[in-house]
Amino acid sequence: GNDMDDTWAIALATSAPELDVRLIVSSTGNATARANILAYQLESSQRDSIPIAVGVSDAECPLGPLASWASPDALATYKGPVSLDGVQAIIDLVDASSEPVCLLGLAPFSTVARVLEVAPRVAAKLVPTIMGGSYFIGYNMSRTPSAEYNVAMNSSAAATVLGSRFAAPLQVAPLDVTANAQIQNTSYQRILDANDTSAVVRTVLSAYAHWLRILPHPEAPVAPHLRGPSSVLYDPVATWMAVQRVRGVGPQAAGMQVKSMGTNVTDDGYTLPVLGCGGMDPCANVGVEWSAAGLQGWQEWAAETLGHRGTPAPLQLHL
C-alpha cells in the first residue's frame, strides 16, 4: 500500500510460468487493511483463486496511496481462501509440503520472524529470497548505505531472518541492486501495449495512475511517469532472483554480481556486511551490482512476463 513495487512484484509472481503461488500474506502496520489491497489487486487481475492471509500487524506506518485505490470490501468479498492468521497459514503450508517451499519476502520481516519463532522447524524446508537491506549502496544510488525500509521497520525481526539457517542459502536483493531498477523504453512500452488484453497489466497501470496522482514526484534515478518509466521497483528484483533460482541458473548467470556474506543488523536498521562471512554461519547470497546487460535483461523479463505471457503454467515456487 505504500509503494508501487509490491503491486508490480505480485503481478509478476502471479504471471511467471515458473512460479506456483500457493499463498500470499500481508504484513506490517495494519496487515488487515493491506490484505484488502492485496485482495483487490488479485480480484481485478483475475487471480482471485490464490489463498491470501493476514500477517503480523506490529509497526506504526501509514497505509499509503493504494489504500484509497482498493475497494473497501475487497477482502470481505474475496472469492479465494482467506486466513486471518498468516503465521499459522505459512506453518501449515510448509508442514503439508513434501518438498522444500520457496519463500519470497517482499515486506518487513515481522511475519516471517514470527513463523521462525513459533515453529523453528519450518526453516529446514524453506528456500527464501528476500528484498531488504543496503550494504554498499543506498536509496537513489547513493554511495552511502541507507537504513532500508524493510529492515528499519523491524530490525530485530530482520536480524532473526538474516541470521537463520534455511534449506538453501538465503538470497537477498538489497538497495545495491534495486535502487536503480526501473522499467523503461521499449520494455515499458511492451507492458503498455498489453493493457487492452491483460487484466494483470490493466490492474497494475490503474494502481500506478492512482499512486502517481497522490505522489506525483517520487524519488527515482529517472522521473516516473504513467507513460514510462516505472517507479523504482525494489521488490520485482527479488521476484526475478526467485525465478532465476527456480530455473536453476542463478542470478550470476543473468548479469547480477552476487557475494556470499554475513549480515550484522543494527538497531536503527542498517545492514553491515561481513565479507566472506568472517566465520559467521549462515552466509547469504547478496546481490551487489548489475551489469548493464543484466539490468536490461531484468526489464525485458518483466515485459515478457507481463506483456506477452498467456495463462501461467505453475511449477514449483510457493509464496
Side-chain angles (χ1 to χ4, degrees), residues 141-216:
M141 296 305 292
S142 167
R143 292 292 173 180
T144 302
S146 304
E148 186 274 325
Y149 174 84
N150 282 352
V151 175
M153 288 302 294
N154 190 331
S155 59
S156 63
T160 295
V161 175
L162 288 165
S164 294
R165 176 186 288 276
F166 297 99
L170 176 67
Q171 287 193 139
V172 182
L175 294 182
D176 307 65
V177 290
T178 62
N180 63 341
Q182 293 179 266
I183 303 174
Q184 306 183 54
N185 303 324
T186 57
S187 292
Y188 192 87
Q189 186 60 48
R190 289 177 69 189
I191 294 171
L192 287 179
D193 290 345
N195 182 64
D196 292 338
T197 58
S198 169
V200 173
V201 170
R202 280 197 302 274
T203 300
V204 169
L205 294 178
S206 168
Y208 191 27
H210 183 91
W211 187 82
L212 283 171
R213 282 195 293 270
I214 297 175
L215 295 174

Side-chain angles (χ1 to χ4, degrees), residues 13-296:
T14 57
S15 299
E18 297 86 353
L19 312 186
D20 177 13
V21 181
R22 298 295 180 87
L23 176 68
I24 306 179
V25 183
S26 63
S27 189
T28 302
N30 185 336
T32 301
R34 293 185 189 281
N36 188 76
I37 300 170
L38 171 61
Y40 185 73
Q41 178 181 354
L42 293 175
E43 179 185 9
S44 301
S45 301
Q46 299 176 7
R47 296 288 193 269
D48 53 0
S49 63
I50 297 173
I52 61 178
V54 178
V56 173
S57 298
D58 67 344
E60 292 297 328
C61 62
L63 279 173
L66 294 184
S68 56
W69 168 70
S71 170
D73 62 349
L75 184 62
T77 60
Y78 188 69
K79 296 177 182 177
V82 175
S83 169
L84 299 181
D85 187 347
V87 171
Q88 191 60 50
I90 293 171
I91 294 169
D92 290 345
L93 186 153
V94 176
D95 282 344
S97 177
S98 60
E99 301 175 332
V101 175
C102 295
L103 174 75
L104 178 57
L106 307 176
F109 299 85
S110 309
T111 299
V112 177
R114 185 74 59 82
V115 167
L116 296 174
E117 292 163 3
V118 171
R121 66 182 181 278
V122 305
K125 292 174 70 175
L126 289 177
V127 179
T129 301
I130 63 167
M131 187 279 139
S134 170
Y135 290 81
F136 307 104
I137 298 294
Y139 285 110
N140 295 312
M141 296 305 292
S142 167
R143 292 292 173 180
T144 302
S146 304
E148 186 274 325
Y149 174 84
N150 282 352
V151 175
M153 288 302 294
N154 190 331
S155 59
S156 63
T160 295
V161 175
L162 288 165
S164 294
R165 176 186 288 276
F166 297 99
L170 176 67
Q171 287 193 139
V172 182
L175 294 182
D176 307 65
V177 290
T178 62
N180 63 341
Q182 293 179 266
I183 303 174
Q184 306 183 54
N185 303 324
T186 57
S187 292
Y188 192 87
Q189 186 60 48
R190 289 177 69 189
I191 294 171
L192 287 179
D193 290 345
N195 182 64
D196 292 338
T197 58
S198 169
V200 173
V201 170
R202 280 197 302 274
T203 300
V204 169
L205 294 178
S206 168
Y208 191 27
H210 183 91
W211 187 82
L212 283 171
R213 282 195 293 270
I214 297 175
L215 295 174
H217 303 293
E219 292 186 352
V222 182
H225 192 277
L226 185 59
R227 301 300 303 179
S230 71
S231 57
V232 180
L233 300 184
Y234 308 97
D235 291 343
V237 176
T239 308
W240 173 87
M241 290 178 73
V243 168
Q244 295 304 113
R245 174 174 253 171
V246 170
R247 288 175 172 173
V249 296
Q252 300 96 317
M256 178 186 286
Q257 182 183 356
V258 174
K259 290 186 177 180
S260 181
M261 64 178 76
T263 305
N264 286 322
V265 180
T266 67
D267 291 342
D268 51 355
Y270 287 85
T271 46
L272 306 181
V274 182
L275 298 178
C277 292
M280 294 184 69
D281 186 24
C283 276
N285 293 329
V286 179
V288 294
E289 188 176 11
W290 286 105
S291 68
L295 186 56
Q296 180 61 36

